[in-house]
Amino acid sequence: MLPSRGLDLTVVPSLAYSYSSQPRSLLSRPKYRAPPHAAEPEKVPGRCGNIMCDPRVARGYALATGFLPQSTQPNPLEIQKQRIAQKRALARKHAEDPIRPGTPEPVEGREHVYVQTELYLEEICDRVLEADGECQTDEFLDRPPTPLFIPAKTGKDMATQIEEGELFDFDIEVKPILEVLIGKTVEQALLEVMEEEELAHLREHQRAFIELRNAEFAELQRLEEQDRRIREEKERRRLKHLEKLQKQKETTEKIAARAFAKRYLADLIPSVFSNLHDSGFFYDPIERNIETEFLPWLMSEVEETLQKKVLGRTMLDSLIRTVVEKRLDAFSNQKL
């Protein structure tokens, strides 16, 4: 069994086929041209059909040096330069064009409106007419081919008969178009040449600015190096002066200490020498030799001589006593 058809297509077999695109609103545009010195309206980005307006196509003479962008992100500086160049070109174009009178202001109680001024009017409706339909195939039958979608016809058809040569003569009508194309081409070429000359002047100015900046940078480095050498020399002289002051201070302290020591030791040296002399540290070597060698020898000899004399006297006294005792005994025995 085949599935039933959805409701996404509507078949109207009774109507003839006609192509119809999706409805869309017309782009709003002013009826009259803008004055020459009016502000430039913002451009809506869109697809460009002209190859001369494609930003990916390099333009200019063959010797011009072009640089490919390094990244897909637009450079803000380049965008600003392009805007300035466009403004200058528009200002130059406006200055060259004759001044055209603008549209007068509406009177009180009225206002300007935008209407369609095209040769062929288009009916604009808020909603497209729609219709729903269903279809169910029989059982065990092959599904027939899907018919083409034929939308319902809207609006009214009008016709007019124009004989050959009444509306358009190619030889006459092509002249302003060719003049416009040639004029725009020459004007675009002149603008590109002027832009290239301006870019060359900018590069020359940039080169001079870079040279001036390099010279100023070299002068700045020289001044910084001179300042550094002056600071180092000043620091070296300051340290040398401090070292000199330190040496002068040390010398002054040494001289003061030496003078104080001399003044302090002026009375100390004689008293020390006198005390040492009294203590016997300073003596006469002859007198010291007599006292240490001669006098002890002399005393020992005198003592030995005296001992001999005492011994002779003792011996003499002993003999005298012995003789006296013997005589006393002899006299005593005689009496008995």
Side-chain angles (χ1 to χ4, degrees):
M1 179 177 180
L2 296 175
S4 61
R5 292 183 58 190
L7 300 179
D8 55 348
L9 300 176
T10 303
V11 180
V12 184
S14 61
L15 300 178
Y17 169 75
S18 65
Y19 175 76
S20 175
S21 62
Q22 295 294 333
R24 58 186 179 85
S25 61
L26 293 177
L27 297 177
S28 61
R29 61 179 182 178
K31 182 179 179 181
Y32 304 98
R33 293 184 179 179
H37 301 289
E40 181 184 0
E42 295 183 0
K43 295 184 179 179
V44 180
R47 298 184 60 185
C48 181
N50 189 359
I51 194 172
M52 296 301 294
C53 300
D54 194 346
R56 296 171 295 178
V57 177
R59 298 186 300 276
Y61 57 90
L63 299 180
T65 56
F67 300 95
L68 295 177
Q70 298 181 357
S71 62
T72 58
Q73 297 294 334
N75 191 359
L77 185 59
E78 295 295 335
I79 294 176
Q80 186 178 3
K81 289 183 178 180
Q82 292 178 4
R83 289 181 179 176
I84 294 174
Q86 291 177 0
K87 289 182 179 179
R88 290 180 179 176
L90 288 175
R92 194 182 300 110
K93 182 179 179 182
H94 290 162
E96 293 175 358
D97 292 341
I99 300 177
R100 299 177 182 178
T103 303
E105 297 294 333
V107 298
E108 186 177 358
R110 297 183 181 181
E111 62 179 356
H112 293 317
V113 295
Y114 299 103
V115 296
Q116 295 187 15
T117 58
E118 307 293 338
L119 298 177
Y120 302 98
L121 300 180
E122 180 181 356
E123 181 182 2
I124 300 175
C125 57
D126 296 337
R127 183 178 179 184
V128 181
L129 297 178
E130 297 178 356
D132 298 336
E134 297 179 356
C135 180
Q136 178 64 43
T137 58
D138 296 335
E139 270 190 300
F140 302 107
L141 295 178
D142 294 335
R143 180 179 175 181
T146 302
L148 298 176
F149 173 73
I150 303 175
K153 184 178 180 181
T154 61
K156 297 180 181 180
D157 294 336
M158 302 296 293
T160 181
Q161 180 63 32
I162 301 174
E163 297 297 336
E164 185 177 359
E166 291 181 359
L167 184 62
F168 179 77
D169 188 358
F170 179 79
D171 295 336
I172 298 175
E173 299 295 336
V174 79
K175 289 182 180 180
I177 298 176
L178 289 177
E179 290 178 358
V180 171
L181 290 177
I182 295 172
K184 292 295 290 185
T185 304
V186 174
E187 182 182 0
Q188 186 70 21
L190 290 175
L191 289 177
E192 290 181 359
V193 172
M194 293 174 64
E195 183 180 358
E196 290 172 359
E197 291 179 355
E198 186 176 359
L199 289 176
H201 287 301
L202 288 176
R203 292 192 186 96
E204 184 67 22
H205 182 69
Q206 184 178 7
R207 184 184 61 80
F209 174 75
I210 291 175
E211 291 179 357
L212 180 61
R213 186 185 63 180
N214 293 335
E216 291 180 354
F217 184 69
E219 182 67 18
L220 178 61
Q221 287 184 344
R222 187 184 67 80
L223 292 177
E224 289 180 352
E225 184 66 20
Q226 183 179 2
D227 188 22
R228 185 185 62 81
R229 291 197 301 269
I230 291 174
R231 287 199 308 270
E232 291 180 355
E233 182 68 18
K234 181 179 179 181
E235 185 67 19
R236 186 178 62 81
R237 292 189 178 183
R238 188 181 66 83
L239 295 176
K240 187 175 181 180
H241 182 66
L242 291 177
E243 185 179 359
K244 182 178 179 181
L245 292 178
Q246 183 69 21
K247 289 183 178 180
Q248 288 180 357
K249 183 178 179 181
E250 292 179 358
T251 305
T252 305
E253 291 179 353
K254 289 180 179 180
I255 293 172
R258 184 177 180 181
F260 177 75
K262 284 184 178 181
R263 188 168 55 253
Y264 180 76
L265 296 177
D267 299 332
L268 182 63
I269 292 176
S271 61
V272 170
F273 274 103
S274 61
N275 292 332
L276 292 175
H277 188 273
D278 295 338
S279 299
F281 288 94
F282 300 101
Y283 54 87
D284 188 4
I286 298 175
E287 183 179 357
R288 185 60 178 262
N289 192 9
I290 291 172
E291 290 179 355
T292 56
E293 296 181 3
F294 178 72
L295 289 179
W297 174 78
L298 181 59
M299 291 298 295
S300 63
E301 291 294 329
V302 170
E303 185 178 358
E304 186 178 357
T305 303
L306 291 175
Q307 287 179 358
K308 289 182 179 180
K309 288 181 177 182
V310 170
L311 180 60
R313 288 178 181 180
T314 304
M315 293 297 292
L316 181 58
D317 291 341
S318 173
L319 289 175
I320 292 171
R321 185 176 180 180
T322 303
V323 172
V324 171
E325 287 178 356
K326 287 182 177 182
R327 286 181 179 182
L328 182 57
D329 293 338
F331 287 121
S332 297
N333 293 325
Q334 289 176 5
K335 287 177 177 183
L336 294 174

